[in-house]
Amino acid sequence: MSEELLPKSKIADALGTNPMRVSRFIERQKINAVKKEGKRELFKLTQFNALKDELGEPEAGVGKPKEASSKDELILTLKKQLLTQKEQYEQVITSKDETISSLQKSYDDMKSQLSVKDNQISTLTQLADQAQKLNLVDKPRLIHENKEDMSEVNKETEKPKKKHWWQFNK
């Protein structure tokens, strides 16, 4: 019988459980059907040895906590889990608030640094403008002095004009 191909319902009957539990086991273990006949999937019974072992344990082993055998214990367990999650949530919120406040401080510091930079740029622009105005005021005087200096230099370095052969008689 173990080499025989069976549908989910027959496997459930052979193991003494319901077909839904067999279906969940197939999904969890990702067991592929050996053969398909239309919509029916056929499996070997030997593929379900792990399910036999699991069936030896109480139904709680499939997805429920093992210690919660009654509804009251299950409710208490869920309440504890909710309280733990609430504490974790509050810690996350506190951490986010601290992060936001530190980012706000950083933003304010950067804002003040930007205002200092803007003041420095405006001061530098004013100084450059004043330097340019002074340069424009001094430029005509410097040009005039330069022309005089150049004319003196030209006079000193001026070579006598070369006389051509026809000018020697004169």
Side-chain angles (χ1 to χ4, degrees):
M1 182 173 170
S2 62
E3 293 300 317
E4 193 177 342
L5 297 177
L6 301 171
K8 294 176 191 175
S9 60
K10 297 284 184 189
I11 291 173
D13 289 341
L15 296 175
T17 187
N18 61 5
M20 189 54 145
R21 190 162 188 184
V22 173
S23 296
R24 284 185 295 210
F25 181 78
I26 290 170
E27 288 175 18
R28 224 179 29 245
Q29 300 294 325
K30 298 181 179 152
I31 297 174
N32 292 326
V34 176
K35 185 177 179 184
K36 290 186 178 184
E37 292 179 354
K39 290 187 176 183
R40 280 180 39 169
E41 296 177 325
L42 301 176
F43 300 90
K44 288 184 181 180
L45 189 58
T46 55
Q47 293 175 310
F48 295 90
N49 289 333
L51 182 58
K52 284 181 196 177
D53 298 337
E54 202 174 281
L55 288 173
E57 299 173 4
E59 182 76 23
V62 176
K64 301 176 186 174
K66 291 180 184 175
E67 68 271 354
S69 58
S70 71
K71 290 181 182 180
D72 293 335
E73 291 176 0
L74 181 61
I75 290 171
L76 288 174
T77 305
L78 290 174
K79 281 183 179 180
K80 288 178 185 177
Q81 289 175 350
L82 284 173
L83 288 174
T84 305
Q85 288 177 351
K86 182 181 176 185
E87 290 171 2
Q88 291 173 349
Y89 174 76
E90 288 172 352
Q91 289 173 353
V92 168
I93 295 297
T94 304
S95 171
K96 285 184 179 181
D97 289 342
E98 291 171 357
T99 303
I100 288 172
S101 65
S102 69
L103 288 173
Q104 183 67 38
K105 288 178 185 176
S106 297
Y107 175 73
D108 292 340
D109 289 344
M110 291 182 107
K111 239 180 162 177
S112 66
Q113 289 174 358
L114 281 173
S115 67
V116 167
K117 177 199 62 93
D118 290 342
N119 289 338
Q120 289 174 343
I121 288 174
S122 65
T123 304
L124 182 64
T125 304
Q126 288 174 351
L127 288 173
D129 188 43
Q130 289 173 356
Q132 190 176 18
K133 287 178 182 176
L134 285 173
N135 198 11
L136 287 174
V137 168
D138 288 343
K139 202 166 196 169
R141 184 179 54 86
L142 289 174
I143 290 174
H144 182 65
E145 288 175 1
N146 251 356
K147 280 184 181 177
E148 289 177 359
D149 290 344
M150 290 303 287
S151 65
E152 289 176 12
V153 168
N154 283 342
K155 287 179 184 175
E156 292 173 2
T157 58
E158 222 175 73
K159 293 181 183 177
K161 287 187 178 180
K162 184 176 179 184
K163 288 188 177 183
H164 295 283
W165 63 269
W166 62 85
Q167 292 175 336
F168 282 117
N169 289 339
K170 293 183 184 181

